[in-house]
Amino acid sequence: MGALDAVAVRVAGGATVEFRPTGGSMVPLVRSRQRVVVAPVDPAKLEAGDIVLARVAGTVYLHLVSAVDPARGRVQISNNRGRVNGWTGHARVFGICTSVDGVPRSGAAAKARRPEAAPEA
């Protein structure tokens, strides 16, 4: 299990997670070791250009949504250098990047899934 797998488990469980991913596939949107915040997402609200934490063909990526297919409940995931990772179902999209190094990503907060309220006693 890689580092992003552990983050995906936490985000899938409802946590908003701050971490520093490594790699150059998302430059200049996210540079290696920049601090990102990823929150659980409502996949039905995703649009091309959103940065998401998703599993594609067994690997977890912090990559871009490059296309959406609402009729089939899936999104296409790509890096920022033109490589398409593939299509993945909404159930495998764990979270959306809401900020990079403290700078909010435009529109991302509105797509985050809100924690459910506890039932009244």
Side-chain angles (χ1 to χ4, degrees):
M1 182 188 311
L4 286 183
D5 290 287
V7 172
V9 167
R10 291 178 58 204
V11 175
T16 295
V17 179
E18 185 176 302
F19 63 103
R20 293 179 181 271
T22 58
S25 65
M26 288 295 290
V27 171
L29 300 175
V30 180
R31 296 184 187 283
S32 191
R33 304 289 303 146
Q34 278 188 306
R35 183 176 46 90
V36 299
V37 175
V38 174
V41 68
D42 178 350
K45 294 181 180 179
L46 292 173
E47 302 170 284
D50 288 332
I51 300 174
V52 296
L53 186 68
R55 183 178 306 279
V56 182
T59 301
V60 177
Y61 298 96
L62 183 70
H63 276 179
L64 289 169
V65 172
S66 51
V68 295
D69 182 356
R72 295 173 83 177
R74 65 185 189 154
V75 295
Q76 185 181 60
I77 304 298
S78 302
N79 67 20
N80 200 37
R81 297 186 176 271
R83 183 187 186 295
V84 175
N85 303 109
W87 290 91
T88 196
H90 284 175
R92 290 184 299 277
V93 180
F94 307 112
I96 187 165
C97 178
T98 58
S99 72
V100 178
D101 263 354
V103 178
R105 294 269 309 151
S106 180
K111 298 171 187 174
R113 207 175 44 222
R114 307 286 180 243
E116 295 182 20
E120 292 185 28

